[in-house]
Amino acid sequence: MKKVLMLCSALVIPVLYASDAHAEVTLYGKIETAVHIEKQRGGNTLVNMEDQGSRVGLNIVEDLTGKWKVKGYLEIGFNSDNGTYNQTTGNKPGTTLFGRRSILAVANEDYGELGMGRMGSVRSTISPYSLVMAWIDPMETAYGDIASIGNVWGNDPRSNNCVTYVTPRINGFKLGATWSFATTDDDNHPAHENNRMLSLGGNWQNKIFGVYAGFTNMWWGHDNGKSTDWVDNGKKYTRANSQAYTLGATWKATDALKLYIGGQYMKNWRNASGWNLDSIKTTVDGVAYTDADRKYGIDAWNTIIGFRYHPDAHWRFVLDYVSLFGHHKMADSQKLKASRQNINGAIEYKITKRTMAYIHSSYSIGRKQLNTPKVNTWVSHVGLQHWF
């Protein structure tokens, strides 16, 4: 009940205030539910109902002076299949109200926008500031439990304590940068105990082509094991800094067909394709990981290629191939190899401008360290989506 009251207050109070301050407040959301069908290698077929990224949000805009505006972005995630609140911070359920985004920004149409708070980076798949990965995913980051580019590639997480700047679009170019003082936990600790992030990104677009490029560096915090109350338990051991370099392009070949291609190299990345080095217990051969084995991350190459085809106003056909090929260096310098390849397809039918029905299916193959039942799987969805 306390959470419900908090949520109602968060949504209603800004609207009441806006009526007096002449702010423009837009309430929006998405409800999406699907029947989820999964068959893991060697296992039974699982059929259940599943939420697919339902959310409620507020966009707030108020004129200041001249071309300057103050803006707010607030967004809450919930599970449409059972109505529960799904925002968490690490392993602490219910501790984040506006977990999808919580941003205060100032903007000027000539100088761009500066935002502060919890958000996705300019390289990530996460709006409102994504300039790179979201644009080169044929699935448009949908079907996120398996088909989204962010599930297989190294993606920047939603992060706390961020500052992001994005330029206006000039001659087709738009550039941006994100800095996080502490991606997880609070930033009221010594700097070396915080996970810090720098992300750079940009794109160039016209009516036919788009080119997208980005870079991220992660500095991983550590406290030599003195605390056990971190959201990120990896802070108890030393971890090498992580980097990711992303490049992609799109081509609108016809009015109905759009093609996508992209590649990424990541070094010492901590979590990709279901391979999480801060939570995994053993290798596929049953060898236990030590803290020393976790120092280095995943070195890997990623690719994506696919298309979206919409022959009329209602039907959309989407197909793509996404991959990871890489390794992880252990404390004894042994390199544990791994690969994952996904083939994803979807048929989407737009019932109205805001309502869509769909069928989606993905086939995932893992090898070496990713040769596990969880990765070697068929996953399908039959679902309904409505935006308001």
Side-chain angles (χ1 to χ4, degrees), residues 28-49:
Y28 69 91
K30 181 182 81 164
I31 305 174
E32 183 173 346
T33 310
V35 175
H36 170 267
I37 306 165
E38 182 172 353
K39 176 66 170 68
Q40 295 184 0
R41 183 186 63 189
N44 296 324
T45 300
L46 172 68
V47 181
N48 67 306
M49 186 172 288

Side-chain angles (χ1 to χ4, degrees), residues 54-101:
S54 299
R55 77 285 305 259
V56 176
L58 291 170
N59 286 335
I60 306 162
V61 181
E62 183 175 345
D63 291 330
L64 294 176
T65 180
K67 297 181 179 180
W68 291 96
K69 301 177 184 295
V70 63
K71 304 172 74 173
Y73 305 88
L74 303 173
E75 194 170 279
I76 303 164
F78 66 94
N79 296 310
S80 62
D81 54 334
N82 58 26
T84 58
Y85 174 68
N86 71 4
Q87 300 295 227
T88 63
T89 299
N91 297 316
K92 302 177 181 179
T95 57
T96 305
L97 179 59
F98 294 107
R100 294 184 62 88
R101 68 177 73 155

Side-chain angles (χ1 to χ4, degrees), residues 277-296:
L277 297 179
D278 292 320
S279 64
I280 194 170
K281 304 298 183 183
T282 66
T283 69
V284 293
D285 301 318
V287 178
Y289 270 86
T290 67
D291 287 351
D293 289 327
R294 302 177 196 276
K295 177 179 179 179
Y296 297 104

Side-chain angles (χ1 to χ4, degrees), residues 158-233:
R158 284 184 172 88
S159 298
N160 300 334
N161 310 296
C162 287
V163 179
T164 291
Y165 170 71
V166 292
T167 70
R169 191 167 294 280
I170 302 173
N171 295 324
F173 289 94
K174 190 168 187 176
L175 306 175
T178 300
W179 169 260
S180 173
F181 292 94
T183 62
T184 58
D185 297 289
D186 295 321
D187 58 349
N188 56 353
H189 302 282
H192 73 271
E193 294 183 359
N194 295 325
N195 295 338
R196 292 155 292 156
M197 177 183 69
L198 173 65
S199 179
L200 306 175
N203 63 54
W204 174 84
Q205 297 175 335
N206 63 18
K207 294 181 179 181
I208 298 175
F209 297 104
V211 180
Y212 310 87
F215 164 77
T216 295
N217 193 95
M218 296 286 298
W219 291 267
W220 299 101
H222 65 91
D223 71 347
N224 298 316
K226 70 182 184 183
S227 174
T228 59
D229 194 35
W230 295 111
V231 169
D232 175 13
N233 290 324

